[in-house]
């Protein structure tokens, strides 16, 4: 996000779910996710960006089986990342980008 202002949508959903999981309260997590999105994403402070962050916290999604921490919000885990794409290749590409000089 810092280098090019975007992150793959599935990865953004995943980190949003992790922020929810790691936060003391959903409100704190939501506020932190919005801050990161607004600061680093190209669609920060845009209705689509807000909708994407809100989805991570259960907006516009049907209720799921109740779980600790998540309640009825859809849960995502790293196994889903492995099913959805080439995560090793994604991480390798991100590492390559992080070694590149940052353009002003």
């Amino acid at each position: 996000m810092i280098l090019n202002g975007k992150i793959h949508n599935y990865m953004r959903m995943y980190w949003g779910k992790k922020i929810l999981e790691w936060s003391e309260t959903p409100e704190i997590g939501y506020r932190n996710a919005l801050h990161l999105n607004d600061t680093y994403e190209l669609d920060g402070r845009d209705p689509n960006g807000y909708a994407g962050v809100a989805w991570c916290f259960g907006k516009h999604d049907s209720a799921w089986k109740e779980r600790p921490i998540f309640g009825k919000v859809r849960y995502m885990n790293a196994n889903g990342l492995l099913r959805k794409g080439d995560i090793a290749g994604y991480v390798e590409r991100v590492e390559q980008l992080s070694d590149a000089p940052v353009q002003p």
Side-chain angles (χ1 to χ4, degrees):
M1 290 186 320
I2 293 170
L3 295 173
N4 65 8
K6 63 182 182 172
I7 186 173
H8 187 279
N9 281 336
Y10 199 83
M11 290 299 289
R12 182 158 58 169
M13 291 186 292
Y14 180 73
W15 71 250
K17 298 294 186 172
K18 293 294 120 182
I19 290 171
L20 171 60
E21 184 177 347
W22 298 331
S23 298
E24 188 174 331
T25 67
E27 294 81 9
I28 291 170
Y30 184 72
R31 196 167 50 243
N32 289 335
L34 280 180
H35 172 74
L36 290 169
N37 193 73
D38 289 352
T39 303
Y40 298 109
E41 284 285 325
L42 289 173
D43 68 359
R45 297 171 308 280
D46 178 273
N48 291 325
Y50 286 108
V53 171
W55 179 89
C56 295
F57 290 79
K59 185 76 171 171
H60 309 299
D61 198 10
S62 58
W64 287 69
K65 177 184 168 207
E66 191 145 0
R67 304 174 65 115
I69 299 174
F70 286 89
K72 292 193 174 197
V73 174
R74 181 190 307 248
Y75 175 75
M76 291 177 74
N77 63 33
N79 289 333
L81 295 175
L82 297 173
R83 286 191 307 272
K84 293 289 183 177
D86 177 13
I87 296 306
Y90 180 84
V91 169
E92 182 179 330
R93 180 67 180 135
V94 169
E95 289 171 347
Q96 290 170 354
L97 288 172
S98 68
D99 291 337
V102 176
Q103 300 296 320

